[in-house]
Amino acid sequence: MINNYVEGTQAGPRDKVSPSGLHFRDSKRKVDYVLAYHYRRPLARQLPGAASPEPRCRSASMALVSNGGTGKGRAEPQQQQQQQQDDGQRALQEWPGLPGLEVVELSPLDALEEERRLQREEYERNLLEAGLEIEKDPENKSQGLSFVRIHAPWQVLSREAELLKIKMPTKKMYEITEEKGIIKTLNEIWCKLTEPLQPQVPQQENTKMKTLSYPFSREKIYLYNIKDKDTFFDNATRSRIVREILKRTSTKARNSMGIGTLIANNVYDAAYPLHDGEYEGQNDVMNERKLLYQEWARYGVFYKFQPIDLIRKYFGEKIGLYFAWLGLYTEFLIPSSVVGIIVFLYGCITIESDIPSKEMCDQRNAFTMCPLCDKFCDYWNLSSACATARASHLFDNPATVFFSIFMALWATMFLEQWKRLQMRLSYFWDLTGLEEEEEHPRPEYETKLLQKKLKKKNITTESSNENEKEKLTWSDRMPGYAANFGLILFMIMLAFSAVFGVIVYRITTAAALSFSTNETTRSNVRVTVTATAVIINLVVVLILDEIYGAVAKWLTEIEIPKTEKTFEERLILKAFLLKFVNSYASIFYVAFFKGRFVGRPGRYVYVFEGYRMEECAPGGCLMELCIQLSIIMLGKQLIQNNLFEIGIPKLKKLFRKLKDERTEVKEMDTNQSKDPQQWDLDYILEPFTGLTPEYMEMIIQFGFVTLFVASFPLAPVFALLNNIIEVRLDAKKFVTELRRPDTVREKDIGIWYNILSGIGKLSVIINAFVIAVTSDFIPRLMYQYAYSQNGTMHGFINHTLSYFNVSQLKAGTQPENSLFAQEVSFCRFKDYREPPWSPHQYEFSKQYWAVLSARLAFVILFQNLVMFLSVLVDWMIPDIPKDISEQIKKEKTVLVDFFLKEEHEKLKLIESFIARDKRKHRSGTKSRRTRAASFSQGHRSPKGSFTSFSSQHTVV
């Protein structure tokens, strides 16, 4: 059935639609899906030599107008309209001079619009043939926005549910076996304690019972608990079924395969399911969207747990799994934050008893250090770097090693717990045994394949038949692969170039500030350079992040992946690689490269023939690494994850609204109601583009929390604070800012788990090197147990400083007008080198090689110990909870018993029908009784029963 109101029909105004805006005009049939498109009614131009031109404006305009005779004032079925067009065009070709015919020329823009209109008509006819029901808006403006509303009746829903093997609830319910003993007691205590944190959403009346689900089958329809056919399939399932039909319905015009191709060709603007009404308003009607907004998508309920089951029901399993993962990750950040705060407080408490920082701050030691730059920098006293040394101890202390081991085990436990939660959700959401559905090819893939077929079309008929089964090979994709390799390499080099540019800025700015005559400026050179360089680096990272996201998408498109799943996986890998390099390149430089290639006094390493390579602060590079990591992490979270997420969707929504208002001609529309309908409100919303950006920002944050946690124990705290806001921000975006996404059934988070696992393993290696190479943990340990005379840290600073004879400085590099010039014979620098009076002066000393060996030994020991503990934790925690494993086995047994019971009842029913027929035959006329008796004898078993016949019937 189609309600297609063309111009001139006596269609009722739009205020006669259903009050909820979720039904057809009859207020009975649900709107399961909406197609939106912009139309433009062409203005006809008369060809030279024809009759006087008369502008014609019709909603179903044709290239041929026969005396204006398309029946203005009555609505014609679409098939008759198409037939009229075909007949008229044929007549024009055969009799071009026929009197009474008016020839109309269409402009190129009008011709394109006409082609799109024909494609829409053909597509909608094909949807009707597929069993769907359609309702359209009248096109009574010269141009504007129109909607096609689609309803799937029961016959279509049941057919498609069987094809898609959608699991539906049966009549059978079975008891869930509860855990016993201390675990049950702990669970009850936990439930009572967390009761105020539970969202106020409808729960299953009996949580100890679970409904048995089974893939829908029309032959076994008696198994299912069908109380009302209109509500048996919920809104999410109905829209999913309609989406599958839209995907596979094709049109002959331009070989368009499905709604994706039509949207790509601008035949339709959008296709989306409707939200369940408004999320706020004066009406008292409660819907699932409003419930989600009140109990989940507001910042005022940040302390409550997420209603995961309701999220899954409304948005589908894929989005439900994302929020379940995000919730578990946020919960796991709580213990790591507590431990991180304890480690930081330990550093604060022990700062007064730290002997090395005391020695550095003691002015009586008078360690005269070599100049930090040539000519303009003076000798300086190590005690002037007292503040830096004391601050470094907050993060560079023995507790940091413990925290690194803890975080490595934390990452393993988080992943193991997620696997268990994922399995539990799969059981309760009926995702166990979910098969991979055959995906439809992407529109870009079909277009490329069509181009390939057209090139070979003129060979032979036989080869063209073979081409129908043809697919794109690696040679077709080779240009895309080559472009991917080259551009990804270029983008990675661009990130490294940005880091190098910041390094050059630091070096040149430090040198320039050293020339200053202002004493305050010269004394704060390091602080000024570090702070400004980190801010510049943050801005560069944010800009490149946006560029890399767009580049990764374009590179994936030119690869022409066949399916959406393949496209998404390749996009994720490219975007993650580029954003990982962009986010961590500068941090890797500070952690492992800064200060390693400085050289020594008298033989410094220079860049650009005059600027010395930068070196670490006297307290080491760990403090700078902490500053770099904290500013980039907090900057990305505050600006990119929060401000961008809030601001950009609102700007896009405003821009789209202004664009629609500007392009739409202001005409009086008598059919326009005052209140916009739900499809109007949803069209204004931002289209859903996938979960990749949401996962990506959390994965990058996971890297900040685990990879360099040895240098910044407070990283989990800031991540936790961000995620408390992030959960509600994402929730609000999904409920209020985005169109309702199509529900997708997924049993896991896919490739993201592999990326998380890879980051967890990489974090062990990186933290081992940070502790061994960047911090002073190993040199302190070596000094205390190998070189200290009394087993304490007294004398450690002196042990780490080497001597240099200032008379051996290169000409022109000595300090000018130095206050120390007459007194200084030797200056000190941080390194393990032989003194000037040694036969092997300035070469690496034995202590250097001993400390280097200890560093490498620590890396190997730390890595193997943590890996062993991680494997042990992985082995001790089973992937599938024991109770869930038992429930899955029980469910299979219950399902078999339920089938046998239902089949037995069906058999009894058949036998009762046969017995009733037998009695009817016997009560008939004598001749009929005789015929019935002879027939019964022919089919009677030896014992005279009808068992054999009924059993044959059951087999059939």
Side-chain angles (χ1 to χ4, degrees):
M1 180 177 183
I2 179 167
N3 296 324
N4 187 9
Y5 296 90
V6 295
E7 182 188 7
T9 61
Q10 301 300 321
R14 282 183 57 181
D15 54 9
K16 291 184 180 178
V17 298
S18 63
S20 65
L22 300 173
H23 294 78
F24 277 13
R25 288 185 173 87
D26 57 13
S27 299
K28 295 179 181 179
R29 291 171 292 167
K30 284 184 180 178
V31 177
D32 296 319
Y33 224 86
V34 173
L35 306 179
Y37 64 92
H38 278 89
Y39 65 90
R40 179 178 177 273
R41 292 164 62 188
L43 295 174
R45 285 188 306 164
Q46 187 182 25
L47 286 175
S52 60
E54 180 183 354
R56 300 191 181 270
C57 207
R58 304 182 55 82
S59 63
S61 57
M62 297 182 290
L64 172 73
V65 182
S66 175
N67 293 329
T70 52
K72 207 172 184 182
R74 72 176 192 270
E76 306 222 312
Q78 283 200 353
Q79 292 182 354
Q80 293 180 11
Q81 290 181 8
Q82 184 67 28
Q83 186 66 37
Q84 281 184 356
Q85 293 178 38
D86 296 341
D87 293 344
Q89 289 172 357
R90 198 180 305 114
L92 181 62
Q93 293 171 0
E94 294 177 1
W95 298 289
L98 190 67
L101 284 179
E102 181 183 338
V103 181
V104 175
E105 180 189 14
L106 294 178
S107 67
L109 193 62
D110 290 342
L112 180 61
E113 178 61 32
E114 182 71 12
E115 183 183 357
R116 289 173 181 169
R117 185 185 63 78
L118 293 175
Q119 284 189 66
R120 284 196 293 268
E121 288 182 359
E122 182 188 357
Y123 185 70
E124 288 158 17
R125 281 198 304 273
N126 293 340
L127 292 180
L128 292 172
E129 290 175 5
L132 297 176
E133 297 176 2
I134 292 177
E135 181 180 77
K136 293 186 70 174
D137 285 336
E139 299 178 2
N140 44 21
K141 292 184 181 181
S142 60
Q143 59 181 0
L145 178 66
S146 188
F147 296 95
V148 178
R149 294 175 288 282
I150 300 173
H151 168 77
W154 169 258
Q155 293 82 358
V156 175
L157 293 172
S158 57
R159 180 191 73 207
E160 297 297 323
E162 185 172 355
L163 291 173
L164 296 172
K165 299 179 181 178
I166 298 175
K167 283 189 175 182
M168 299 304 296
T170 62
K171 298 175 183 176
K172 177 69 175 176
M173 294 186 75
Y174 66 95
E175 187 177 1
I176 299 174
T177 307
E178 290 186 336
E179 296 178 346
K180 298 179 181 179
I182 190 170
I183 297 177
K184 181 181 179 182
T185 307
L186 291 174
N187 280 337
E188 289 176 353
I189 295 172
W190 175 252
C191 289
K192 288 182 180 179
L193 290 174
T194 59
E195 190 172 351
L197 306 179
Q198 298 294 338
Q200 302 298 316
V201 296
Q203 300 287 344
Q204 186 178 337
E205 293 179 2
N206 191 353
T207 55
K208 296 180 182 179
M209 303 293 290
K210 183 180 184 295
T211 305
L212 186 67
S213 296
Y214 185 72
F216 189 81
S217 172
R218 287 175 290 179
E219 292 181 356
K220 297 183 175 66
I221 200 166
Y222 55 87
L223 298 176
Y224 304 98
N225 187 20
I226 304 177
K227 296 178 181 177
D228 184 359
K229 289 184 177 181
D230 291 335
T231 58
F232 179 65
F233 295 102
D234 60 17
N235 292 346
T237 307
R238 295 174 71 98
S239 63
R240 177 189 169 203
I241 288 172
V242 174
R243 179 73 181 187
E244 288 299 319
I245 298 174
L246 294 176
K247 280 182 179 179
R248 68 168 184 257
T249 303
S250 60
T251 59
K252 293 179 182 178
R254 304 182 73 177
N255 291 278
S256 298
M257 297 294 293
I259 188 63
T261 311
L262 293 173
I263 292 175
N265 294 334
N266 296 318
V267 177
Y268 290 101
D269 289 345
Y272 53 90
L274 292 180
H275 278 292
D276 288 356
E278 295 188 46
Y279 61 89
E280 58 183 357
Q282 301 299 325
N283 56 339
D284 297 329
V285 179
M286 180 59 69
N287 56 63
E288 291 180 352
R289 187 188 188 192
K290 182 181 286 189
L291 192 59
L292 282 171
Y293 178 74
Q294 292 178 355
E295 295 295 326
W296 178 53
R298 293 187 300 114
Y299 295 112
V301 293
F302 72 92
Y303 59 92
K304 288 188 176 183
F305 291 118
Q306 298 184 90
I308 294 296
D309 289 328
L310 185 59
I311 296 168
R312 169 251 177 179
K313 182 184 177 184
Y314 192 80
F315 292 111
E317 285 75 9
K318 189 173 184 178
I319 294 174
L321 283 174
Y322 164 71
F323 281 104
W325 174 84
L326 181 58
L328 182 69
Y329 172 48
T330 305
E331 289 173 17
F332 257 72
L333 284 172
I334 296 173
S336 60
S337 300
V338 172
V339 177
I341 291 172
I342 292 172
V343 169
F344 179 72
L345 292 176
Y346 172 83
C348 296
I349 294 168
T350 58
I351 193 169
E352 296 299 331
S353 60
D354 182 50
I355 296 173
S357 58
K358 277 186 176 182
E359 288 185 350
M360 190 178 287
C361 293
D362 191 355
Q363 295 184 0
R364 292 173 296 179
N365 290 327
F367 294 113
T368 303
M369 306 297 292
C370 297
L372 295 174
C373 65
D374 295 343
K375 195 174 181 179
F376 295 98
C377 295
D378 200 354
Y379 301 105
W380 56 287
N381 203 314
L382 186 60
S383 61
S384 64
C386 174
T388 307
R390 290 171 67 86
S392 296
H393 178 74
L394 298 176
F395 305 102
D396 189 1
N397 56 68
T400 306
V401 181
F402 158 76
F403 190 56
S404 299
I405 298 173
F406 170 81
M407 287 303 293
L409 298 179
W410 172 87
T412 304
M413 290 189 68
F414 165 64
L415 293 177
E416 287 301 309
Q417 189 61 29
W418 167 245
K419 284 194 285 188
R420 290 169 62 83
L421 177 59
Q422 192 171 252
M423 199 64 216
R424 190 175 293 277
L425 292 175
S426 295
Y427 166 69
F428 283 106
W429 292 354
D430 298 316
L431 299 175
T432 51
L434 181 67
E435 299 178 4
E436 291 287 335
E437 295 178 4
E438 185 179 353
E439 288 194 74
H440 301 282
R442 298 177 65 249
E444 293 80 3
Y445 179 86
E446 291 174 334
T447 304
K448 187 72 176 178
L449 191 61
L450 180 62
Q451 292 173 356
K452 183 179 179 180
K453 289 178 181 178
L454 291 174
K455 286 181 181 178
K456 298 181 179 180
K457 190 175 181 181
N458 53 359
I459 301 175
T460 58
T461 307
E462 184 180 350
S463 64
S464 66
N465 291 334
E466 292 174 358
N467 283 343
E468 290 178 3
K469 299 180 181 179
E470 198 171 3
K471 62 181 181 180
L472 297 183
T473 60
W474 65 269
S475 57
D476 298 315
R477 293 190 173 99
M478 184 53 68
Y481 292 150
N484 268 262
F485 178 77
L487 203 53
I488 287 175
L489 200 61
F490 171 76
M491 288 296 166
I492 292 174
M493 294 306 297
L494 180 62
F496 290 149
S497 301
V499 174
F500 181 72
V502 175
I503 294 169
V504 172
Y505 164 80
R506 293 162 71 117
I507 294 171
T508 54
T509 307
L513 292 177
S514 301
F515 300 159
S516 175
T517 56
N518 191 328
E519 182 64 29
T520 308
T521 304
R522 285 204 305 270
S523 61
N524 295 318
V525 166
R526 191 179 295 277
V527 176
T528 306
V529 169
T530 302
T532 55
V534 170
I535 293 171
I536 291 171
N537 202 26
L538 172 63
V539 173
V540 171
V541 166
L542 293 176
I543 293 172
L544 287 182
D545 246 9
E546 299 302 317
I547 295 173
Y548 284 173
V551 168
K553 186 176 181 181
W554 180 74
L555 288 175
T556 311
E557 286 173 349
I558 63 174
E559 275 189 21
I560 322 168
K562 184 175 181 180
T563 62
E564 284 295 338
K565 186 174 183 180
T566 311
F567 178 86
E568 187 178 14
E569 287 181 352
R570 294 185 183 182
L571 174 62
I572 288 168
L573 286 175
K574 291 183 186 65
F576 175 73
L577 174 63
L578 293 174
K579 293 192 176 188
F580 181 88
V581 171
N582 181 43
S583 298
Y584 299 113
S586 59
I587 299 172
F588 269 94
Y589 163 73
V590 174
F592 303 122
F593 298 102
K594 185 179 180 180
R596 313 289 171 200
F597 310 102
V598 177
R600 61 169 178 82
R603 191 177 291 175
Y604 284 113
V605 176
Y606 291 88
V607 290
F608 302 124
E609 300 180 358
Y611 297 102
R612 271 164 48 178
M613 283 293 292
E614 58 177 348
E615 50 189 305
C616 292
C621 272
L622 197 69
M623 191 62 200
E624 286 192 46
L625 177 60
C626 175
I627 294 171
Q628 185 90 7
L629 180 66
S630 59
I631 290 181
I632 291 180
M633 177 182 175
L634 296 176
K636 277 179 69 67
Q637 288 185 169
L638 181 64
I639 299 172
Q640 192 176 46
N641 296 2
N642 293 326
L643 293 182
F644 283 11
E645 276 196 47
I646 296 171
I648 290 179
K650 289 186 180 297
L651 289 175
K652 285 183 176 178
K653 181 180 176 181
L654 179 63
F655 175 75
R656 188 166 53 252
K657 188 176 180 181
L658 293 173
K659 183 182 176 183
D660 288 342
E661 289 177 355
R662 188 172 64 251
T663 55
E664 189 167 333
V665 180
K666 300 292 183 183
E667 297 180 25
M668 292 299 293
D669 186 1
T670 56
N671 289 352
Q672 184 70 32
S673 64
K674 293 180 181 179
D675 296 328
Q677 297 300 310
Q678 191 61 48
W679 46 85
D680 297 310
L681 298 172
D682 286 4
Y683 178 77
I684 300 171
L685 301 178
E686 187 73 14
F688 175 68
T689 55
L691 287 169
T692 301
E694 317 301 332
Y695 272 113
M696 187 65 71
E697 64 186 58
M698 288 294 105
I699 297 295
I700 296 296
Q701 186 203 82
F702 183 79
F704 282 121
V705 169
T706 55
L707 292 179
F708 295 94
V709 75
S711 65
F712 188 41
L714 295 178
V717 180
F718 291 108
L720 175 63
L721 294 175
N722 174 79
N723 285 10
I724 290 172
I725 301 171
E726 180 70 24
V727 171
R728 306 303 161 179
L729 183 64
D730 283 349
K732 189 173 183 181
K733 183 169 70 174
F734 272 87
V735 174
T736 67
E737 299 288 341
L738 297 179
R739 292 175 192 159
R740 188 171 184 172
D742 294 301
T743 56
V744 180
R745 287 178 72 82
E746 293 282 356
K747 57 184 177 181
D748 52 40
I749 60 173
I751 197 172
W752 294 111
Y753 179 84
N754 300 328
I755 293 175
L756 285 167
S757 181
I759 290 177
K761 290 178 173 60
L762 183 62
S763 69
V764 177
I765 302 169
I766 290 178
N767 281 305
F769 276 99
V770 167
I771 295 169
V773 177
T774 312
S775 75
D776 280 340
F777 177 75
I778 299 300
R780 292 186 183 197
L781 214 60
M782 284 291 295
Y783 176 77
Q784 186 173 0
Y785 294 104
Y787 300 108
S788 177
Q789 295 178 356
N790 53 7
T792 64
M793 292 301 295
H794 290 286
F796 172 73
I797 296 298
N798 186 54
H799 177 74
T800 59
L801 298 176
S802 299
Y803 287 90
F804 181 76
N805 191 341
V806 297
S807 62
Q808 296 177 347
L809 285 171
K810 287 184 179 180
T813 62
Q814 299 93 341
E816 292 182 350
N817 305 320
S818 173
L819 300 175
F820 298 86
Q822 306 302 323
E823 304 173 11
V824 177
S825 300
F826 297 97
C827 65
R828 310 292 293 273
F829 64 99
K830 190 173 182 180
D831 208 346
Y832 292 102
R833 290 183 182 268
E834 297 288 347
W837 52 82
S838 169
H840 308 286
Q841 61 177 359
Y842 306 132
E843 291 184 4
F844 289 118
S845 62
K846 292 179 181 178
Q847 289 90 338
Y848 172 83
W849 298 110
V851 170
L852 181 62
S853 302
R855 291 181 195 270
L856 296 177
F858 174 82
V859 169
I860 295 170
L861 180 64
F862 181 89
Q863 179 183 339
N864 284 281
L865 173 65
V866 175
M867 288 293 187
F868 169 74
L869 292 175
S870 299
V871 171
L872 186 64
V873 169
D874 190 359
W875 174 75
M876 289 176 64
I877 302 175
D879 293 349
I880 304 176
K882 187 178 179 181
D883 61 323
I884 295 299
S885 178
E886 292 174 355
Q887 294 298 334
I888 291 173
K889 293 177 184 176
K890 181 180 178 180
E891 188 175 62
K892 292 179 180 177
T893 307
V894 171
L895 185 63
V896 172
D897 293 342
F898 177 58
F899 268 18
L900 291 175
K901 183 181 176 182
E902 289 292 331
E903 289 295 328
H904 184 64
E905 290 181 359
K906 183 180 175 183
L907 182 63
K908 279 173 137 186
L909 188 63
I910 292 172
E911 287 181 347
S912 67
F913 280 137
I914 293 173
R916 189 178 64 182
D917 289 343
K918 176 184 173 183
R919 287 194 298 271
K920 283 183 179 181
H921 281 295
R922 284 180 177 176
S923 62
T925 60
K926 184 176 180 180
S927 59
R928 292 178 62 185
R929 283 202 308 270
T930 305
R931 284 197 298 272
S934 63
F935 178 79
S936 300
Q937 286 177 357
H939 291 84
R940 190 184 299 273
S941 64
K943 293 182 180 180
S945 69
F946 281 83
T947 307
S948 61
F949 179 80
S950 63
S951 63
Q952 290 173 6
H953 183 85
T954 305
V955 171
V956 172

